[in-house]
């Protein structure tokens, strides 16, 4: 009888938490072709209209500063910051403007925090760049969309003035790129150009502006600051229509175009523009994450063939600020982590996650909000600055990359549709690994399965590490918008600094580890 109930309990337990075992082979050494990964892999693209909400106007916004500085403390490198996006093509300059004057359209349930349609800025607007953490690399957008060269030149002069100020120079904050125009492939749809606007016409416009803007900025083959090229919303991936390869064929890299050192493209996995959301599981799924990035392989190859660097200069889950219950959730943190890490395997050097005040997909909300980001309804109480779950993706990636400033990362081949894994190398030797279980554990899910991972080390002359430390991103349900913990700690604090006590597991590698649905783990070998 006793044996029978023990068996019954055993059977019941194995039904409740079905554990599948998967063998994962982890190379101990990186090879020369193992992609390098920067400590600022996860960087930020900031909507320009509310820029001073992020930085502060006359004094620093410490909450935002702290969220960036946390990352800098982990990798020694703060995230790179791009400012502009949709706003950059609606911005003009007027010397006597204090910070910015903005005109916002009415908000709607689908777009509770719309972008400004008209932004006028003065010197003080660009000068607040000084509130970013020391050593931040910056990209500023200037206006091409309005087709007003004077506006572009005045903005450029003001940007250059800001970066030559003693405060910004002393802080080591540098202007990497000027970006002229945001998503010019959409100009024909959004009224900024004629309906028949072509890629060749855009190249002509761009080169015409670049002559004046490069002169105003003092750009040269030897200057640190360069142009960022393309910034398209979509891509034909061929030499017709809008794509890097089409732009190269139309002469983008001639004349002042020789001052382009990096090509930027934008990507969203879908859109919420008409108010219909994507499913969280679709976003998180290993194969769709790969599908959304591998489509750029021809564009990346064409870019490398020109000797240029390649970034995703603006990206996030679903366009038009995200889908409610999807983009703002813990599941989206796992998406962001897998997405950014997989991008490294295609030699995308940086991934700029787009953020805006009140945007559903924003990893950081830098100021107090009074209406819901999900439907625009008034909040019962003001919501102070806070991080959203996606912020943990930046923290985890940073910890995995570490402090050497020359880490390498390799996607591990894992024969399981919901388990992704990456190994991280320091000075060529295995240091850490990240695993992600992308099965969405939803409110309606009745059981939470786990997958058991057995780590095998490819035979090498080097000693196999005996022990590992396992740090877990603990998530209640994939749809949770808060309450996520990382190694028992939280960044959901009033000042954006980490709180709580660190909790990790030390165990022999030979035991392997379990990873449950909707979980990410960082394994450190020692
Ligand atoms: C666990 O739940 C899923 C649905 O989320 C279901 O497909 C599966 O059969 C369940 N497994 C067990 C062992 O009950
Ligand atoms: C934008 O705002 C500025 C300053 O308020 C104003 O001078 C300008 O006319 C406006 N532009 C448009 C197109 O409304
Ligand atoms: C742009 O450059 C041309 C040629 O140097 C010059 O004539 C023109 O005034 C410049 N425009 C602006 C707005 O600076
Ligand atoms: C272009 O921008 C300049 C500088 O702000 C402004 O004076 C001028 O009116 C603008 N031109 C048009 C056509 O809007
Ligand atoms: C594009 O459309 C404009 C009218 O919006 C027209 O004037 C122009 O000739 C057209 N250009 C081409 C190349 O078809
Ligand atoms: C991109 O991801 C979405 C889910 O978020 C998926 O529906 C879509 O098919 C993916 N696109 C590609 C090209 O793989």
């Amino acid at each position: 009888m006793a044996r029978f109930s023990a068996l019954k309990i055993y059977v019941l337990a194995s039904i409740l938490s079905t554990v599948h075992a998967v063998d994962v082979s982890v190379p101990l050494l990186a090879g020369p072709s193992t992609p390098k990964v920067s400590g600022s892999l996860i960087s930020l693209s900031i909507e320009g209209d509310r820029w001073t909400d992020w930085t502060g106007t006359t004094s620093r916004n410490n909450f935002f500063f702290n969220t960036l500085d946390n990352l800098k403390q982990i990798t020694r490198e703060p995230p790179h910051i791009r400012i502009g996006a949709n706003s950059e093509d609606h911005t003009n300059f007027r010397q006597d403007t204090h910070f910015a004057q903005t005109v916002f359209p009415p908000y709607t349930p689908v777009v509770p925090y719309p972008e400004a349609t008209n932004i006028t800025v003065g010197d003080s607007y660009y000068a607040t760049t000084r509130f970013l953490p020391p050593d931040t690399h910056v990209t500023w957008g200037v206006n091409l969309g309005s087709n007003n060269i004077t506006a572009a030149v005045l903005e450029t002069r003001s940007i250059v003035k800001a970066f030559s100020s003693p405060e910004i120079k002393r802080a080591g904050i540098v202007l990497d790129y000027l970006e002229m125009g945001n998503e010019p492939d959409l100009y024909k749809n959004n009224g900024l150009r004629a309906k028949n606007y072509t890629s060749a016409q855009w190249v002509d416009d761009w080169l015409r502006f670049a002559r004046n803007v490069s002169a105003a900025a003092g750009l040269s083959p030897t200057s640190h600051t360069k142009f960022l090229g393309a910034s398209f919303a979509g891509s034909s991936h061929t030499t017709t229509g809008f794509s890097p390869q089409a732009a190269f064929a139309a002469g983008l890299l001639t004349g002042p175009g020789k001052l382009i050192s990096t090509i930027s493209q934008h990507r969203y996995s879908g859109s919420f523009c008409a108010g219909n959301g994507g499913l969280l599981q679709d976003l998180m799924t290993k194969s769709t994450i790969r599908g959304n990035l591998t489509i750029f392989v021809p564009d990346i190859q064409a870019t490398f063939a020109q000797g240029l660097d390649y970034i995703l200069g603006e990206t996030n889950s679903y366009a038009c600020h995200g889908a409610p219950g999807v983009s703002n959730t813990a599941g989206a943190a796992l998406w962001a982590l897998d997405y950014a890490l997989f991008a490294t395997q295609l030699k995308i050097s940086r991934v700029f996650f787009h953020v805006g005040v009140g945007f559903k997909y924003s990893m950081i909300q830098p100021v107090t909000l009074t209406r819901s980001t999900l439907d625009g309804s008034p909040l019962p109480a003001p919501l102070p600055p806070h991080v959203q779950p996606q912020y943990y993706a930046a923290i985890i990636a940073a910890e995995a990359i570490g402090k050497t400033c020359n880490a390498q990362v390799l996607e591990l081949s894992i024969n399981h549709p919901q388990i992704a894994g990456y190994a991280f190398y320091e000075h060529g030797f295995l240091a850490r690994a990240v695993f992600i279980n992308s099965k969405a554990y939803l409110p309606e899910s009745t059981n939470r399965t786990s997958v058991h991972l057995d780590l095998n080390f490819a035979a090498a002359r080097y000693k196999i590490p005996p022990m590992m430390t396992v740090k877990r991103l603990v998530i209640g349900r994939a749809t949770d918008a808060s309450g996520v913990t990382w190694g028992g700690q939280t960044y959901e604090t009033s000042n954006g600094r980490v709180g709580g006590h660190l909790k990790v597991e030390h165990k022999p590698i030979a035991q392997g580890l379990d990873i449950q649905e909707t979980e990410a783990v960082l394994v450190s070998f020692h």
Side-chain angles (χ1 to χ4, degrees):
M1 192 61 203
R3 280 179 66 186
F4 175 74
S5 19
L7 181 68
K8 220 163 76 177
I9 288 163
Y10 172 77
V11 170
L12 200 70
S14 58
I15 285 172
L16 286 178
S17 67
T18 330
V19 176
H20 309 276
V22 175
D23 281 328
V24 181
S25 169
V26 186
L28 283 173
L29 300 178
S33 64
T34 308
K36 292 198 180 350
V37 59
S38 149
S40 55
L41 169 69
I42 295 191
S43 281
L44 294 183
S45 157
I46 299 181
E47 194 61 51
D49 52 3
R50 298 179 195 260
W51 162 238
T52 56
D53 280 6
W54 296 84
T55 49
T57 49
T58 52
S59 66
R60 184 171 91 185
N61 175 344
N62 279 322
F63 182 87
F64 180 52
F65 179 90
N66 290 348
T67 59
L68 301 178
D69 186 58
N70 291 335
L71 297 164
K72 183 181 176 182
Q73 287 185 19
I74 299 170
T75 66
R76 299 177 197 249
E77 227 191 286
H80 289 204
I81 304 289
R82 169 221 188 207
I83 312 109
N86 181 62
S87 303
E88 85 194 40
D89 285 323
H90 299 101
T91 300
N92 205 324
F93 182 85
R94 213 169 66 190
Q95 190 63 55
D96 60 2
T97 311
H98 283 293
F99 305 107
Q101 237 179 35
T102 42
V103 180
F104 286 97
Y107 65 89
T108 66
V110 172
V111 189
Y113 290 84
E115 289 128 5
T117 47
N118 179 6
I119 304 142
T120 310
V121 302
D123 281 338
S124 50
Y125 170 84
Y126 296 112
T128 61
T129 307
R130 71 184 182 283
F131 294 133
L132 290 172
D135 307 321
T136 301
H137 290 245
V138 178
T139 297
W140 266 106
V142 301
N143 192 333
L144 177 76
S146 302
N147 214 359
N148 181 339
I149 281 208
T150 309
V153 166
L154 292 179
E155 289 170 17
T156 302
R157 285 195 191 132
S158 185
I159 292 166
V160 167
K161 189 169 163 188
F163 280 82
S164 55
S165 74
E167 259 181 300
I168 290 192
K169 286 184 113 155
R170 217 180 305 121
I173 297 170
V174 293
L175 182 65
D176 280 357
Y177 305 109
L178 287 168
E179 175 189 82
M180 291 193 307
N182 174 65
E183 305 185 345
D185 51 324
L186 300 185
Y187 287 175
K188 60 182 187 295
N189 311 325
N190 62 24
L192 291 174
R193 291 293 186 280
K195 293 265 176 245
N196 53 14
Y197 194 57
T198 64
S199 166
Q201 285 171 314
W202 167 73
V203 168
D204 287 347
D205 277 350
W206 193 93
L207 290 171
R208 186 164 51 84
F209 272 60
R211 276 179 209 109
N212 288 71
V213 167
S214 62
L219 303 195
S220 77
T222 57
S223 59
H224 174 82
T225 305
K226 292 286 189 304
F227 281 125
L228 192 60
S231 309
F232 301 138
S235 179
S236 63
H237 310 296
T238 68
T239 49
T240 56
F242 281 87
S243 71
Q245 40 280 55
F248 300 151
L252 178 66
L253 303 179
T254 60
K258 291 187 187 126
L259 298 166
I260 293 174
S261 64
T262 298
I263 291 296
S264 166
Q265 287 186 271
H266 297 180
R267 180 67 185 173
Y268 291 88
S269 300
S271 99
F272 184 65
C273 304
N276 45 6
L279 291 173
L280 183 52
Q281 178 65 77
D282 288 352
L283 181 71
M284 293 168 66
T285 296
K286 186 177 170 184
S287 59
T288 61
I289 288 173
R290 278 140 191 79
N292 274 276
L293 291 168
T294 52
I295 47 165
F296 291 108
V297 165
D299 306 41
I300 295 168
Q301 282 171 351
T303 300
F304 289 168
Q306 300 291 339
L308 305 176
D309 192 13
Y310 187 94
I311 62 170
L312 284 183
E314 180 185 319
T315 194
N316 217 313
S317 51
Y318 291 103
C320 296
H321 312 171
V326 177
S327 302
N328 56 311
T329 69
L334 298 187
W335 164 77
L337 182 62
D338 195 11
Y339 186 78
L341 294 180
F342 185 74
T344 63
Q345 302 304 290
L346 304 178
K347 310 245 166 78
I348 295 172
S349 60
R350 236 168 238 103
V351 181
F352 289 72
F353 285 85
H354 196 48
V355 297
V357 171
F359 291 4
K360 292 176 264 288
Y361 56 48
S362 208
M363 63 172 74
I364 301 160
Q365 298 292 359
V367 288
T368 298
L369 304 178
T370 55
R371 56 177 184 271
S372 162
T373 62
L374 303 183
D375 62 9
S377 60
L379 292 170
L383 185 58
H386 60 284
V387 299
Q388 301 214 105
Q390 259 193 61
Y391 182 71
Y392 290 92
I395 293 286
I396 296 170
E399 289 188 16
I401 293 163
K403 285 186 185 349
T404 58
C405 300
N406 69 352
Q408 289 170 278
V409 57
L410 178 71
E411 185 183 21
L412 299 168
S413 157
I414 301 179
N415 185 19
H416 196 291
Q418 71 198 50
I419 306 292
Y422 302 86
F424 293 80
Y425 300 86
E426 291 183 339
H427 310 295
F429 291 94
L430 178 66
R432 287 171 287 275
V434 163
F435 297 99
I436 301 161
N437 184 334
S438 56
K439 176 89 170 36
Y441 182 59
L442 297 166
E444 60 269 31
S445 304
T446 52
N447 60 72
R448 193 169 194 171
T449 64
S450 283
V451 176
H452 181 79
L453 304 178
D454 282 312
L455 308 182
N456 305 304
F457 299 93
R461 290 184 291 117
Y462 296 90
K463 197 166 146 274
I464 291 165
M467 297 292 288
M468 60 183 172
T469 301
V470 179
K471 188 170 181 182
R472 294 180 188 272
L473 183 71
V474 174
I475 293 168
R477 304 271 173 169
T479 46
D480 288 356
S482 62
V484 173
T485 58
W486 171 233
Q489 296 183 298
T490 179
Y491 285 89
E492 294 165 46
T493 55
S494 58
N495 62 4
R497 294 297 192 184
V498 70
H501 294 290
L502 180 65
K503 211 175 71 194
V504 294
E505 303 150 36
H506 298 280
K507 53 201 274 179
I509 291 177
Q511 284 181 6
L513 67 140
D514 287 350
I515 180 167
Q516 63 178 349
E517 293 177 9
T518 309
E519 187 173 52
V521 301
L522 174 68
V523 178
S524 305
F525 302 104
H526 42 93

